Amino acid sequence: MTIELSHFNAALLFALCASVVFGITQRNAARDMLRYGAYCFCMFIGGVIVAAWVMWAIKH
Amino acid sequence: MANPQSSAALPRNSKAAQQTNSMTMIAPIAAWLLPGLGHIIQRRYVRGLLLMASIFTMFFVGLGMQGKVYSFNTGDLLDILGFVGDVGTGLLYIAARAMDWGIGNIHRAVADYGTKYIVVAGLLNVIAIVDAHHIAIGKKP
């Protein structure tokens, strides 16, 4: 079976899975885990979007 | 005079301490063999299942994208590090090697993402192993 993911979808899935693990392992309380996981997810996706715009600016 | 309450509590405490001691060994090994199992055997079911789902998803999506599973090697440094990362997935890695999965496809750009997914799944499991150990020694609730 072959999975076809676009670059952005691959980044989304990566961010989701990594954020879940970071959230659970880096905080002690359930509420803090949720908040830290959401923060990591936003930072991952924000980083992807910023990097994409930087690459676009370099090209143009 | 001896306190009957404390003398009764002593065997119970030593039994609990023994269980804690054995769990400090068992939990990391279980967590390495099957991602999330180290949390599940310590009754952190939701955390364990979420870790399991995340790491399994990364590993199998990586394989689905035709990523490469590294074998033991003494060649290029990046290949050695790739092997070290992959081994973190425990039984998943052993199964992939036994079933000859993860040959890798150099003709597809997405396959390289798959390779990274598999390595990162192993590295995330290493973090989960350390977390399971911290729970076992009482450092984390």
Side-chain angles (χ1 to χ4, degrees):
Chain A
M1 189 184 78
T2 304
I3 297 173
E4 295 285 347
L5 287 178
S6 68
H7 292 210
F8 188 65
N9 284 340
L12 271 181
L13 186 64
F14 183 98
L16 181 68
C17 293
S19 300
V20 168
V21 176
F22 285 168
I24 291 170
T25 56
Q26 303 302 311
R27 292 293 181 270
N28 291 337
R31 190 181 174 84
D32 292 341
M33 289 177 187
L34 200 63
R35 288 174 64 175
Y36 188 67
Y39 170 76
C40 288
F41 183 78
C42 292
M43 292 303 283
F44 270 124
I45 297 305
V48 166
I49 293 169
V50 168
W53 276 109
V54 168
M55 285 189 278
W56 180 87
I58 290 169
K59 191 182 177 188
H60 293 84
Chain B
M1 198 174 90
N3 184 354
Q5 244 184 347
S6 64
S7 62
L10 193 65
R12 216 182 309 152
N13 284 347
S14 65
K15 193 179 174 187
Q18 268 183 345
Q19 280 178 340
T20 306
N21 282 340
S22 61
M23 193 55 81
T24 58
M25 291 291 291
I26 294 168
I29 293 169
W32 173 68
L33 283 175
L34 201 65
L37 190 61
H39 287 73
I40 291 170
I41 61 171
Q42 297 183 86
R43 299 182 183 183
R44 270 71 173 183
Y45 299 111
V46 177
R47 291 188 219 172
L49 289 174
L50 281 170
L51 288 172
M52 190 180 277
S54 299
I55 293 166
F56 270 61
T57 301
M58 287 205 73
F59 186 83
F60 284 108
V61 169
L63 284 179
M65 290 198 285
Q66 298 187 355
K68 178 183 173 184
V69 175
Y70 290 95
S71 55
F72 175 75
N73 65 87
T74 54
D76 186 15
L77 180 63
L78 289 178
D79 285 350
I80 298 170
L81 292 175
F83 167 73
V84 171
D86 283 0
V87 163
T89 51
L91 282 179
L92 292 177
Y93 175 78
I94 294 166
R97 293 295 306 156
M99 306 291 277
D100 225 11
W101 295 335
I103 302 299
N105 186 348
I106 57 169
H107 302 297
R108 297 179 74 231
V110 183
D112 192 42
Y113 294 166
T115 305
K116 301 300 180 284
Y117 262 59
I118 295 166
V119 172
V120 172
L123 296 176
L124 289 175
N125 196 36
V126 172
I127 301 175
I129 292 167
V130 172
D131 194 54
H133 183 251
H134 282 172
I135 293 170
I137 61 174
K139 195 174 175 184
K140 188 176 176 181

